[in-house]
Each structure stands twice: as structure tokens, then as C-alpha cells.
Amino acid sequence: MRARFVTAAIAVAATGCNASAEGVSIDAGTETSAQGSTETGTVASTSSGSTSGSADTTTTTGGSDGSTTTGGPDRLCEAIDISLVFDRQAPIYGFEQRLAVAEFLDEVTEQTGARVRVFPNAGAPEPPPWDCTLDAEGPAGGLTFIWGEGGAARNSARTKLECVYDGVRNYPSDTSADGDWMFTGLLFPFLEHDDWPSEDRTISVSVMLANTDDDESNMYARPGLASDAFLRLAADGDRDRALSLTVGQDADELHTFALALHPNALHTEWDDEDFEASFDDFLPAVVQACATADEPEVPEPPGGCEHIDILFVVDGSLSMAEEQAALRGIDGPPVFADFTDALALNLDTLQDIHIGVISAEPDDTVLHTHRDQPAVPPGPETDCGLTQPWIVAPSPTLQEDFACLAATTASSTLETTSRNAAEALTVADNAGFLRDDSVVFVVMLTDEDTLGLGATRVQEHELLLSAVGGDRDRIVMLAIAGDPGVFEAPKTTCVGPYGTASPGRRLGAVVASFGVAGTTSDICAGDLAQSLDDALGDLVQACVSFVPEG
């Protein structure tokens, strides 16, 4: 796409498009463009050869060998639905930025041969009043338009995109949304239009271009809920059919959303100063998803882990007494011991398990060796009797040892649950617990949401990932916390057999950032055995798929 930029620039100049000599000032990460926000012409098509036909029909001619060709490449998939969400304040109006979006849509059309349909929107519940007709007969009441199909963009596509830019730029700034509610702008069309996504789509792609981040502060506009909703509503729950490109500045929520959807989803910051490159980098993922969406899954190569390292982060608040008693097997079944038995039954290669425990109290990241840490200083009367600060299973004293360690007591009312987990797996004090050839299982039990206290969701994600050498397939995450609900029906405080719990919205987003390997289970359901079983399949799959080096 970079090579085509020069050709496109020449093509625009040749058409005599109006350009401002003064240009427009672009915010951080972009350059001032002489063809800035006042440029009124349509960015010219740059497809090789010439095009002919009606406004919505193109025929590409002039093959590289001098022959004439009709149509495009073999169709890799039937159709691609692309949701474009623009923040009206984002630096998206310069010539280079507009061209990058248009060329991306061209390339998707040309390389996949699919029908590429676009739903544009501002970051708001309702699209702006467009000053043009998009596709009166298309889905969503004419709020979509077809960019192209059969390998060729429609002649009218770029004109319609220019109309979209005008509508977003003129979006009323006195509304509550102000055009920067990115998750709402993405998801409301799916909730309000029965025919969006289109019935024939193979994959769904979201492109969100924000000035900073999603700027909506309410209970449903959270990255974990938003990614779950897009996955369900746009891709029927199939992660192979949902991709996203997000651009913003210090955009922790947008970045977390992208991480949660697909390993090939992409986030870029405006400070990266190469807006076009983000589309170049994202394009292969879209083409691959289109080409492989309907292919059968490839069997995993023979392998199997020999070691699993399990870290528990147990909230030690007074309100957690019932939950801790259930986890420890006090006056009830040995929940965790039964879980390790199930692992052994399902994994022939498994040799041993390391089990460590910390609390959710800020800065409590060194593995516990005594009961009632961190509030109670270690002493002989609370010693769990371990030879190292973790349990090694199988062990004849597993139940007793775990019941001792899992009794945590907090001296603070604050919880930094996911941050503690990330730091515990990487601090030198816990050296030896985490092994280079293990699969890691992180279990976080709390009735309050987690705080970052200076750490972003993405920073916590990246620190957790660094603990396993960047190998996302080596880590499985489970949060047992208050159910946050779903985007279209968020929940507040829940009540269950153990008492009340606040929705784990931030914690759920960190867990969701690990995609299929992240599970959030409702603590108010009052069944910790089921909560652990909810993640059993993911952990077994991670171990079975693990191929040791060498």
C-alpha cells in the first residue's frame, strides 16, 4: 500500500481536486497535510489498469501481460462486514489518513474477492445525518454501502466515504456522546438493526479511530463487555470470524478490546506516527481470516505439558470468609483437591503441579508460606509447614497444605487482584515457582473489582504475558468475581450464597484480554467447584497443545 500512495497522490493532483494551501494542523503522531481537512474532492482510485462501468459496477482491464481480464481474484470468502467508527475529533481528515482507509478497503476487496460491506458511524448511538445516499436497498435501513466485490471497488465507494467524513466532522458537539463513544458507535447498530450483520458475511471487522480512547463512562461501555458483545453479535461467538483495528492515544480500553478479540487484532497509538502502516499490518490478518474461516480445524501436533504452575490470588477481606471456607474445603468438599484429581485424569503427560497463593491486597506479591497473610505476621502458630513457598502436587497433604495457604487476611480495603497476579509471576522473590516449560493457570477469587493503582489493563496483560515468554498459549486465566453482565444488559451488585459481590468489570477485561484462554465465573452462583470446572477444558487444552522445546 505504501508504494501505491505516490500513484494516488499524482492521480488526485491530475483531477484538479481542491486543496487548501494552508493545510490543517493534525494532533500528535501525524504530519500537517497540504491536502488537509478542507480538501473536498474524492481520493482517486488507484487500481491498476482502467475501470469502466456504472457508478456501482467496475471492470478491471489491462493485465500485466497486455491481456484483458474481467473481475478479480478467486473469492476467498463470501462477504466481509466492516464497521467503521470515527471519533469526530480524531486526526483522520488529512489526505494521507483518508487515503490509508480507502486503500485498505480497496486491498481487502482486491485480495479477498469478497463482497465488502461497510457500516460507517460516529462514536455515538445513532449515525450522523449523511448528506448522501449510501445504499437505500442495503441492510440497516440504508446505513451501509458496498465498497466492492469480485476483486474490484465500486466507482461510487470513495465518494460515499468522503460523505461519511463530512458527516462525522460535522457531528453535533453539544450532544452527550460528542462523537467519542467508540464502543457505543460500534455496537448499537448490531442491537438496533436485525439485518446487521448481513446474513451472507463470513467475517466481521471493526475499525475504530479515536482521538484518545473510548470516552464513555458508564457500566456497559467497558472493553471486556464490548469485546464479548462484538464477538457474539458480529461473529456468532467464533473468534476466527471477528477482527479489530483500533487507533487512539493512551487508549487502554481500545487496546484491551483488540487483545480480547483475536491474536491478530491490532492496536496503534497516534504517537507511532505511521497511521498507514497500521492498515498495512492489519490487512494480512483480514485476508487470512477470510480465506480460512470455513476451513476445518487442524489437529494439534502431538505434545503435552509435564508441568502446570497454578497461582491463586485470594481476596482476604472480611466479606470473603464464606468464599474462602468453600475454597479451602472447610465443612465441605475439597474443591481444589478434586480439581487437581480431574487434571491428572485428563492429562497423561502431567508430572507435577506447583501451587502458590497470594492475596489481593496492594503490593502483596510474594508467595505466602503462612496462614492469614498478609495481615498477620508469619509465626510458628500460622506456619503451613512447607519446605518452599509453594505446594508441589501430587502430595498426600495437598488438601491440608492448600487449606492453610488459601486462608488470607487483608489489612487493607483495596484490591489490586490482577496486578498482584502479574507481579507475583515476575518478581525475583518467587524464583523457582514458575518454570520455563510449564503451563500457567491464574485463579483470582474476589467479591470486589480490581484496581490498577497506576497500572493499566494493557500493562497488566503484558506483564502476565512476559511471565510466559510472550507465549499466549501457555497461560490460562480464571476470575471468580461478581458477574458484570453483558454490554446490552450490565449487572450491578449481585447476591448469592456467600453474600454480595460487586461486578468485576475491570478484572473481567484483563481476563478477557487473553481471548479464549480467559474465563470469568460468577461468584454469586455459589459453586466454586463449577467455577474451576469452567476453566478445566481450557487448561487441559493448553497442556495437550503444549510442545516442549527440543
Side-chain angles (χ1 to χ4, degrees):
M1 289 169 64
R2 291 189 184 91
R4 296 177 60 192
F5 173 75
V6 176
T7 304
I10 295 172
V12 171
T15 62
C17 290
N18 297 324
S20 168
E22 296 178 358
V24 58
S25 178
I26 301 299
D27 290 341
T30 59
E31 299 177 353
T32 300
S33 170
Q35 291 81 21
S37 60
T38 58
E39 195 275 307
T40 59
T42 301
V43 178
S45 174
T46 59
S47 301
S48 59
S50 60
T51 58
S52 61
S54 66
D56 283 334
T57 304
T58 62
T59 303
T60 302
T61 62
S64 59
D65 59 356
S67 61
T68 299
T69 60
T70 302
D74 293 337
R75 178 171 290 187
L76 300 182
C77 65
E78 183 67 22
I80 300 173
D81 282 355
I82 299 181
S83 299
L84 284 179
V85 185
F86 295 152
D87 180 345
R88 71 177 187 85
Q89 301 177 77
I92 57 176
Y93 305 108
F95 172 74
E96 295 175 4
Q97 289 76 34
R98 297 190 343 268
L99 180 63
V101 174
E103 291 231 332
F104 168 73
L105 296 171
D106 278 351
E107 293 286 355
V108 170
T109 303
E110 293 170 14
Q111 294 191 31
T112 66
R115 181 181 302 108
V116 177
R117 185 181 287 107
V118 177
F119 194 125
N121 199 3
E126 292 291 339
W130 310 124
D131 291 332
C132 60
T133 300
L134 296 181
D135 185 353
E137 298 179 358
L143 295 175
T144 68
F145 66 96
I146 293 176
W147 186 269
E149 57 189 319
R154 290 188 171 183
N155 290 339
S156 63
R158 295 198 179 200
T159 301
K160 292 178 179 179
L161 184 60
E162 291 297 308
C163 174
V164 167
Y165 279 111
D166 288 340
V168 170
R169 180 164 38 201
N170 296 321
Y171 189 84
S173 60
D174 57 350
T175 65
S176 58
D178 200 27
D180 54 10
W181 292 7
M182 306 307 288
F183 295 144
T184 289
L186 172 67
L187 295 170
F188 268 44
F190 292 97
L191 299 173
E192 295 180 346
H193 301 283
D194 292 338
D195 54 354
W196 183 257
S198 57
E199 292 184 0
D200 62 349
R201 96 299 189 182
T202 306
I203 63 172
S204 292
V205 177
S206 70
V207 176
M208 291 187 282
L209 308 181
N211 187 42
T212 54
D213 203 350
D214 179 82
D215 199 30
E216 185 173 5
S217 299
N218 55 43
M219 68 175 67
Y220 64 83
R222 305 299 177 96
L225 299 185
S227 60
D228 167 76
F230 185 72
L231 183 63
R232 286 185 292 104
L233 301 173
D236 298 323
D238 187 345
R239 292 184 185 276
D240 292 333
R241 298 176 186 269
L243 288 94
S244 180
L245 169 65
T246 57
V247 181
Q249 188 59 45
D250 300 322
D252 180 54
E253 295 198 21
L254 290 177
H255 195 170
T256 303
F257 172 90
L259 287 170
L261 277 184
H262 193 284
N264 291 332
L266 181 66
H267 174 76
T268 298
E269 296 276 302
W270 289 110
D271 274 352
D272 292 342
E273 297 187 358
D274 201 341
F275 179 74
E276 184 185 0
S278 63
F279 287 93
D280 291 342
D281 295 340
F282 185 52
L283 176 65
V286 176
V287 175
Q288 181 185 23
C290 171
T292 61
D294 293 322
E295 291 183 357
E297 292 188 11
V298 178
E300 297 287 347
C305 71
E306 297 180 349
H307 313 292
I308 293 178
D309 299 331
I310 303 179
L311 175 67
F312 276 87
V313 187
V314 182
D315 183 352
S317 304
L318 291 176
S319 61
M320 287 289 294
E322 292 85 355
E323 292 90 332
Q324 283 198 20
L327 179 65
R328 297 166 60 209
I330 306 300
D331 298 328
V335 171
F336 181 63
D338 289 347
F339 177 76
T340 58
D341 288 344
L343 281 177
L345 287 174
N346 283 277
L347 298 171
D348 295 335
T349 61
L350 185 62
Q351 295 183 3
D352 58 43
I353 304 172
H354 283 185
I355 303 119
V357 177
I358 58 172
S359 81
E361 181 171 309
D363 300 320
D364 184 41
T365 59
V366 178
L367 295 175
H368 291 188
T369 55
H370 291 64
R371 187 180 68 249
D372 296 328
Q373 286 184 261
V376 178
E381 67 280 3
T382 60
D383 191 351
C384 293
L386 303 177
T387 58
Q388 71 282 310
W390 58 83
I391 302 168
V392 179
S395 166
T397 60
L398 171 62
Q399 172 59 25
E400 294 80 5
D401 294 342
F402 183 73
C404 181
L405 283 184
T408 69
T409 304
S411 57
S412 170
T413 59
L414 302 179
E415 286 90 19
T416 52
T417 315
S418 50
R419 176 174 178 169
N420 283 16
E423 293 181 354
L425 293 177
T426 53
V427 296
D429 292 315
N430 298 331
F433 169 71
L434 189 66
R435 292 163 287 186
D436 292 338
D437 58 349
S438 68
V439 169
V440 179
F441 184 35
V442 178
V443 183
M444 296 173 287
L445 178 66
T446 181
D447 61 0
E448 296 282 348
D449 203 1
T450 186
L451 300 172
L453 295 187
T456 67
R457 302 169 185 82
V458 172
Q459 286 172 337
E460 291 175 10
H461 171 94
E462 291 175 344
L463 190 57
L464 284 161
L465 198 58
S466 72
V468 291
D471 186 353
R472 189 163 162 161
D473 293 333
R474 277 186 59 202
I475 189 166
V476 176
M477 303 286 294
L478 170 64
I480 307 174
D483 182 9
V486 295
F487 179 88
E488 56 269 41
K491 294 183 178 180
T492 56
T493 301
C494 65
V495 180
Y498 305 136
T500 62
S502 300
R505 298 183 184 118
R506 187 182 186 281
L507 181 62
V510 174
V511 169
S513 70
F514 287 89
V516 69
T519 300
T520 297
S521 184
D522 184 11
I523 196 171
C524 285
D527 191 344
L528 297 190
Q530 183 60 54
S531 294
L532 289 169
D533 191 61
D534 288 343
L536 178 63
D538 292 336
L539 185 55
V540 168
Q541 181 60 41
C543 183
V544 169
S545 303
F546 181 77
V547 179
E549 293 185 3

